[in-house]
Amino acid sequence: MNYSLVEPYLNLLDPIHSFLLCRTPSEWVKQASMAENLPVILLDHLHCELKAAQSAALLLRRYAVNKDHGQTLLDALQPYEDLVYRGLGNFQQLKQSKQLSHALQAAESQPYADEIIDKMSRLIREELHHFQQVLEIMQARDVPLYKLSASRYAASLIRHVRTYEPQALIDKLIIGALIEARSCERFAALAPYLDEDIARFYVSLLRSEARHYQDYLELAQKLSDTDITERVNQFREWEAELIMSEDTELRFHSGVPVHA
């Protein structure tokens, strides 16, 4: 174990640990850090980076940008989706693909559209960059791309989303905050048990991703006419239940691992 890599970033983790109602169970860390389980953790991490970018793009298309710039978002994501879901393309083509580089135009009459665009477009760029970094690590270790079922984590949280606006958007932003916070917590929990290359990579993610959950929460509160603390606390409880309950499949956001 090597905790020295994580120690300089404990100040970044303190608010995350306060926000989450539980720490990752030691049994998950034990299983996830085993050499034979590293391929599935890396592959699921790759999927998670893409899903984070997709979720942010969906929020932008639904609530912030005009139709033409919605297509720009889809175009930026397509090479990544082609590679993961259809086996098309390769790493070099991905690096040369069109990036989300120019400013997105806000749709008329959307509240806080400019701020949503600013935070979510930056998040998309970062998540896609992290996707490339994970893929590079996988290729260096001969970890293949293959179809992987998703954990129940995100889908279980989404079931609680209200069906009317703006409450639906507020709930989605709260879920985004929890997913980002849990990801950071797990990067830090895993890093001391992994080899130095991956450990340093996971620690580097703490610097860039620690603020993401706060971005989501700030947007959620601005879009609400009332204080969202009670709703946030309800989602925190649901999230902790998922983390502390048993799962038969090991994934990056799965619960306590048990044998099927």
Side-chain angles (χ1 to χ4, degrees):
M1 292 183 294
N2 183 4
Y3 287 100
S4 62
L5 289 173
V6 178
E7 286 174 359
Y9 304 99
L10 292 179
N11 61 319
L12 295 176
L13 291 166
D14 284 343
I16 289 172
H17 288 153
S18 296
F19 177 56
L20 298 171
L21 293 184
C22 67
R23 302 283 186 96
T24 290
S26 59
E27 184 58 29
W28 183 91
V29 176
K30 178 182 177 182
Q31 291 293 322
S33 59
M34 289 182 176
E36 61 267 31
N37 290 330
L38 185 59
V40 74
I41 291 297
L42 287 172
L43 180 57
D44 197 44
H45 180 184
L46 187 80
H47 280 252
C48 288
E49 297 290 358
L50 178 55
K51 289 173 186 174
Q54 290 172 319
S55 296
L58 184 60
L59 289 175
L60 284 170
R61 292 172 57 226
R62 173 66 178 83
Y63 299 103
V65 303
N66 62 30
K67 184 176 180 181
D68 289 342
H69 284 226
Q71 186 60 48
T72 298
L73 290 164
L74 294 177
D75 292 343
L77 289 172
Q78 184 171 345
Y80 297 84
E81 295 171 341
D82 283 345
L83 183 63
V84 170
Y85 303 137
R86 303 172 193 95
L88 301 175
N90 55 52
F91 182 58
Q92 290 304 318
Q93 292 173 334
L94 199 66
K95 291 177 68 175
Q96 296 168 7
S97 63
K98 183 183 297 184
Q99 303 299 309
L100 189 63
S101 56
H102 65 277
L104 298 170
Q105 184 175 343
E108 295 181 3
S109 75
Q110 290 284 20
Y112 298 104
D114 288 336
E115 189 166 0
I116 294 173
I117 289 172
D118 177 60
K119 293 183 183 298
M120 293 298 105
S121 61
R122 180 177 60 183
L123 186 146
I124 290 171
R125 286 191 290 268
E126 291 182 0
E127 302 292 10
L128 294 182
H129 176 61
H130 298 157
F131 177 101
Q132 292 186 13
Q133 290 177 296
V134 178
L135 183 60
E136 194 167 19
I137 289 172
M138 290 173 60
Q139 291 190 334
R141 295 163 183 267
D142 295 322
V143 176
L145 278 171
Y146 59 89
K147 291 183 179 180
L148 186 70
S149 61
S151 71
R152 63 193 173 97
Y153 178 81
S156 297
L157 291 173
I158 290 170
R159 291 193 191 104
H160 297 291
V161 171
R162 291 169 287 187
T163 58
Y164 47 93
E165 300 293 356
Q167 284 75 15
L169 173 57
I170 291 166
D171 285 351
K172 292 170 188 174
L173 291 169
I174 294 170
I175 290 171
L178 283 162
I179 293 173
E180 293 292 334
R182 180 60 65 186
S183 296
C184 278
E185 189 263 350
R186 292 213 154 167
F187 292 144
L190 266 179
Y193 298 89
L194 301 176
D195 66 65
E196 188 167 344
D197 287 344
I198 301 180
R200 288 190 180 279
F201 170 57
Y202 275 6
V203 169
S204 75
L205 294 180
L206 299 178
R207 295 194 298 269
S208 61
E209 296 207 344
R211 72 171 186 280
H212 286 175
Y213 87 97
Q214 294 170 328
D215 287 344
Y216 274 110
L217 289 179
E218 289 171 5
L219 281 176
Q221 184 57 74
K222 286 184 177 182
L223 289 165
S224 177
D225 294 331
T226 59
D227 187 275
I228 65 170
T229 300
E230 184 176 348
R231 188 64 176 169
V232 171
N233 287 340
Q234 179 64 78
F235 270 103
R236 290 167 71 208
E237 291 178 6
W238 287 324
E239 194 271 347
E241 289 173 3
L242 290 168
I243 293 299
M244 298 306 296
S245 59
E246 294 182 343
D247 262 318
T248 56
E249 291 184 317
L250 181 67
R251 298 291 186 269
F252 198 84
H253 291 97
S254 58
V256 181
V258 294
H259 296 294

